[in-house]
Amino acid sequence: MGVTGFREGVRVAGLLIASVAAAAALAAEPWPQRAVRLIVPIGSGSGPDVAARLYAERLAVHWERPVIVENRPGAEGLIGVTAFAGTRDDHALLFSPAAPISVFPYTQDKLAYDPARDFVPISSAIDTFGSIAVPASLKVASLAELVALARAQPGKLNWSSGGGAFPTLLAGFAKSAGLDVVQVSYREQNLAIQDLAEGRIQILVTTLTPLLPSAKAGKIRLLAVTNKGRAPVAPEVPTASEAGHAELEFEGLVGFFGGRDMPAALSDRISADIRAAAADPVLSRRFAAAGQIARGSSPAEFARSIEEQRAKIEAIVRLLGSRP
């Protein structure tokens, strides 16, 4: 080996030693050393907010430090997510649906953050359920019957959706099925649910939980859930794949993110704590009562799930030929 090769070997070995030493120092250093802020980019009382508070309660006991939930709602989560992207506080975590990272790069004209640079996936936290619903007055009992009706009455059926991936998902479904349906937008989801129950719109795809009261009252009918598995709170409702329309399959992915400078050793440590919390039977029952499934993961697993969402949304946008 020549002098140059020897020196390069020494340099690489030094870097490896330094990296191992840094990881060892981090492992020995207690974290958190003070209160942890959990930024939730959705309003108080929402499904993710409820889940964030359940995790915060459990993690505060384990970490022996307060875990403070901060709601920063607005613009489908963009306000809170953008604010988090600008922070350099290693005691702040983002608890958010994956949509601002996996969906919005394909549906928003411009983002004030870099989804690939500004967030470190730590762990998934919960699965939320999406559902396709119709008014009870609409005489369809399945997705197949809804498609047949829409084809028989082009331009006659109105649809709306919640935020995140739902508008893209339903627009892609209509395109691939050759349906001529009219989109109606709402500033508030409860108004869309009310109009669905009254038959003023005929299709609504949104999160399952707020639809349940109207479904139980017999005002609306749930045709399918968008997730891979059925919802425990509505086990009689088939998945979109079971109903013959796998193109509507989309997981309601919500999880923890760190800032861009978070070391891998720390994200691994926090992930392990989140997975332990998610596996707790008592906490799992509390999530189930809120219509959610607790689901922790490793950082790598969470990153793969986000990438799967990105790929699906990118494919739909290509199918549509433009941003929805």
Side-chain angles (χ1 to χ4, degrees):
M1 178 185 297
V3 174
T4 301
F6 176 76
R7 287 176 177 171
E8 178 63 16
V10 170
R11 187 186 71 82
V12 172
L15 290 174
L16 289 173
I17 292 170
S19 177
V20 171
L26 177 61
E29 180 182 339
W31 187 98
Q33 298 179 337
R34 50 187 168 84
V36 175
R37 295 186 299 133
L38 202 54
I39 309 301
V40 181
I42 303 177
S44 178
S46 63
D49 172 71
V50 171
R53 294 178 189 278
L54 289 175
Y55 271 109
E57 180 182 312
R58 169 63 185 268
L59 292 172
V61 173
H62 179 70
W63 290 338
E64 299 181 342
R65 294 288 188 276
V67 179
I68 302 165
V69 175
E70 294 184 11
N71 296 95
R72 297 192 183 183
E76 288 197 69
L78 284 172
I79 291 176
V81 170
T82 301
F84 176 79
T87 187
R88 292 296 180 269
D89 182 358
D90 66 353
H91 281 61
L93 304 174
L94 177 68
F95 187 92
S96 173
I101 290 89
S102 61
V103 176
F104 291 172
Y106 302 101
T107 61
Q108 302 289 326
D109 289 331
K110 187 177 181 181
L111 296 174
Y113 55 85
D114 184 333
R117 179 197 64 193
D118 292 334
F119 309 96
V120 172
I122 296 174
S123 173
S124 58
I126 57 168
D127 286 344
T128 60
F129 286 85
S131 183
I132 301 96
V134 297
S137 58
L138 195 70
K139 303 304 180 184
V140 298
S142 67
L143 275 180
E145 291 181 6
L146 177 62
V147 169
L149 179 64
R151 285 175 177 162
Q153 300 182 12
K156 299 295 185 182
L157 301 187
N158 297 326
W159 70 270
S160 190
S161 68
F166 291 132
T168 308
L169 197 64
L170 195 50
F173 168 64
K175 177 80 170 182
S176 62
L179 307 182
D180 179 8
V181 288
V182 181
Q183 183 178 11
V184 179
S185 298
Y186 291 86
R187 293 183 65 86
E188 297 181 18
Q189 179 174 263
N190 62 331
L191 296 179
I193 296 173
Q194 181 180 330
D195 276 3
L196 182 75
E198 297 296 328
R200 286 186 282 272
I201 60 173
Q202 289 73 46
I203 308 167
L204 178 62
V205 56
T206 190
T207 49
L208 173 63
T209 302
L211 293 172
L212 289 175
S214 296
K216 291 177 180 177
K219 295 180 179 180
I220 68 173
R221 184 175 296 113
L222 304 174
L223 300 185
V225 294
T226 62
N227 302 60
K228 293 179 180 178
R230 296 194 180 197
V233 291
E236 74 284 359
V237 180
T239 67
S241 292
E242 290 172 336
H245 288 278
E247 66 272 24
L248 277 169
E249 184 178 286
F250 201 86
E251 293 292 322
L253 189 62
V254 180
F256 288 83
F257 298 85
R260 69 165 82 168
D261 299 324
M262 176 172 282
L266 181 55
S267 65
D268 287 341
R269 184 194 305 177
I270 297 172
S271 172
D273 294 340
I274 293 166
R275 295 198 303 273
D280 181 87
V282 174
L283 200 60
S284 293
R285 286 195 291 271
R286 294 177 70 182
F287 279 118
Q292 302 166 341
I293 295 178
R295 194 182 305 279
S297 69
S298 70
E301 290 168 339
F302 190 29
R304 282 196 296 270
S305 296
I306 293 170
E307 189 55 40
E308 288 175 5
Q309 283 198 348
R310 282 194 184 121
K312 177 140 192 173
I313 294 299
E314 183 181 18
I316 294 175
V317 171
R318 283 202 307 268
L319 172 69
L320 295 173
S322 64
R323 297 178 187 272

